[in-house]
Amino acid sequence: MLPAPHFSAFNPPRRILMGPGPSDVYPEVLAAQARPTVGHLDPLFVAMMDELKSLIQYAFQTKNEMTMAVSAPGSAGMETCFVNLVEPGEKVIVCRNGVFGERMRQNVERVGAIAVLVDNEWGTPVDPAAVEAALKANPDAKFLAFVHAETSTGALSDAKTLCALAKQYGCLSIVDAVTSLGGVKLKVDEWGIDAIYSGSQKCLSCVPGLSPVSFSPAAVEKLKNRKTPVQSWFLDQSLVMAYWTSAGGKRSYHHTAPVNALYALHESLRLLAAEGLENAWKRHQDMHLVLRAGLEKLGLKFVIAEASRLPQLNAIYIPEGVDDAAVRARLLKDYNLEIGAGLGALAGKAWRIGLMGFGARRENVALCLRALEEVLN
Ligand SMILES: *Cc1c(COP(=O)(O)O)cnc(C)c1O
């Protein structure tokens, strides 16, 4: 027998999360998650799942039937899109302007497909002209994949234009909306997005660990016509959807859904719908402007040019001579405030201040500005 370990219960402090995610969770969402667990096929639970599906459709602005939440974080939503739609040997144009575009490339190659890279400098949006050149040069490409809101730098790309280009050249679009959903304008049907995934823990202000996903009818067709089976059993949408749809009044077991986490997602999306998507987008923009004014007063400079700046992720250069890790440690210790470090090419050079979901409010902005001012002095 191993000796029994004795620990006290884990009681984290209440941090203010202003990094790249997870974001501050709505108190209502935390309360929802603590409600009694019911069976994953309980009639009351599956009725809640039907509501959840329409809430996800609202957030994405889509009527897509194949809309659900993957029982795993945003990265699994990414993988869901690639493993279901892309077959070995197919060509995918992958736009890379930060960490998550690079992760898309790795997904494409692990599927056994060919990634054609369109590289844009870190901190710039994806360049539609470069994408069009790649589409022209690769008439056999089947997909265009890009990140709408690149969290590693804070750059917003023009998803509408990029998806129109994909369509024009006969490609399906695969879009990463992990950080964009709920924070900036996003219209899946109007923009003709074919496969999209997001995450629960960014602008939805839900607990981490779920990934809303939606496939257009054209994407569903592609999945149906596969010559090879999806190599991931767990992420195979044709199997998962038997649990997410009550077509014919029957739902069947696929895996035990994370029941309480789905209560949380239902509550966060219900709050988003109650606020209204357009109001939520505006609130993110308004709070970004308040933060920007304060940061500029402190002499801090943005990494991203104004035209493509994400309101929900503000990357700012660390002033010269300032100890990156020491500042973040003091913010955490003295103010219970978490801001993000730089990632990849921006490691040690920038901080990333998130204004996501419930975190995009005036008191958070004020606290962050005051704390930065005190610590930097
Ligand atoms: C956070 C993030 C992901 C990954 O989501 P996880 O929930 O951490 O797996 C993917 N893409 C973007 C743009 C992100 O910001």
Side-chain angles (χ1 to χ4, degrees):
M1 291 290 284
L2 287 174
H6 290 288
F7 300 121
S8 27
F10 179 61
N11 265 309
R14 189 168 292 282
R15 304 277 203 215
I16 295 126
L17 301 178
M18 297 184 74
S23 59
D24 270 353
V25 176
Y26 286 108
E28 293 92 327
V29 168
L30 287 177
Q33 197 178 24
R35 290 182 192 138
T37 303
V38 297
H40 61 285
L41 288 168
D42 185 306
L44 292 175
F45 184 70
V46 297
M48 189 281 288
M49 285 175 73
D50 282 337
E51 291 184 5
L52 183 50
K53 182 169 160 182
S54 25
L55 287 164
I56 299 172
Q57 287 171 323
Y58 169 73
F60 276 139
Q61 290 290 291
T62 184
K63 296 199 171 101
N64 288 341
E65 254 322 295
M66 196 175 271
T67 298
M68 42 77 78
V70 177
S71 300
S75 304
M78 180 188 289
E79 194 143 342
T80 295
C81 292
F82 288 99
V83 295
N84 279 278
L85 299 177
V86 183
E87 287 190 80
E90 290 184 333
K91 228 183 219 187
V92 185
I93 296 182
V94 178
C95 307
R96 210 165 46 163
N97 62 338
V99 163
F100 294 103
E102 162 57 20
R103 195 174 286 185
M104 283 180 148
R105 178 193 68 80
Q106 294 177 20
N107 269 270
V108 168
E109 292 184 352
R110 285 185 185 224
V111 161
I114 303 150
V116 177
L117 295 168
V118 174
D119 276 315
N120 283 111
E121 208 182 307
W122 273 62
T124 62
V126 174
D127 174 15
V131 168
E132 182 157 26
L135 286 163
K136 268 197 185 129
N138 296 277
D140 54 338
K142 294 251 167 66
F143 300 91
L144 171 68
F146 67 90
V147 179
H148 186 205
E150 189 37 93
T151 323
S152 58
T153 65
L156 177 68
S157 288
D158 182 352
K160 185 181 178 182
T161 300
L162 293 171
C163 290
L165 277 173
K167 199 131 293 175
Q168 189 187 330
Y169 288 87
C171 285
L172 294 176
S173 50
I174 298 178
V175 180
D176 178 317
V178 176
T179 282
S180 59
L181 184 67
V184 286
K185 186 172 179 181
L186 170 64
K187 297 196 161 185
V188 169
D189 287 358
E190 197 179 308
W191 295 354
I193 294 172
D194 290 300
I196 191 159
Y197 59 93
S198 188
S200 49
Q201 82 282 25
K202 308 226 172 159
C203 295
L204 301 183
S205 276
C206 182
V207 293
L210 291 169
S211 176
V213 166
S214 186
F215 284 7
S216 73
V220 173
E221 238 356 79
K222 178 78 172 69
L223 170 58
K224 278 194 184 141
N225 292 325
R226 282 184 69 105
K227 288 171 211 74
T228 53
V230 173
Q231 78 272 24
S232 164
W233 181 88
F234 184 69
L235 298 177
D236 184 340
Q237 284 293 91
S238 47
L239 303 177
V240 178
M241 286 314 283
Y243 178 56
W244 272 90
T245 40
S246 46
K250 208 174 135 39
R251 239 174 235 268
S252 52
Y253 164 72
H254 175 264
H255 64 278
T256 308
V259 169
N260 293 58
L262 291 177
Y263 301 165
L265 185 62
H266 179 275
E267 183 62 12
S268 72
L269 289 168
R270 201 185 65 76
L271 291 170
L272 177 65
E275 180 179 13
L277 261 182
E278 283 164 311
N279 293 332
W281 298 338
K282 181 169 185 304
R283 175 169 52 81
H284 283 88
Q285 180 62 18
D286 290 347
M287 290 306 103
H288 160 72
L289 292 178
V290 179
L291 178 72
R292 184 185 82 177
L295 290 173
E296 285 173 354
K297 230 183 255 167
L298 294 176
L300 295 164
K301 300 217 159 33
F302 276 82
V303 172
I304 307 293
E306 202 168 330
S308 47
R309 233 174 247 169
L310 281 171
Q312 66 271 50
L313 194 111
N314 298 267
I316 48 169
Y317 287 112
I318 301 169
E320 225 155 295
V322 167
D323 184 337
D324 170 21
V327 168
R328 284 184 293 105
R330 266 201 66 196
L331 291 174
L332 197 62
K333 188 168 159 286
D334 297 346
Y335 300 84
N336 263 319
L337 173 65
E338 179 181 281
I339 65 166
L343 197 59
L346 292 175
K349 297 196 181 97
W351 289 317
R352 291 178 300 152
I353 301 177
L355 290 174
M356 296 181 174
F358 181 56
R361 60 193 207 282
R362 214 169 272 275
E363 66 204 82
N364 275 25
V365 174
L367 170 79
C368 179
L369 288 171
R370 201 193 54 200
L372 270 176
E373 183 176 13
E374 290 177 7
V375 171
L376 288 175
N377 285 332

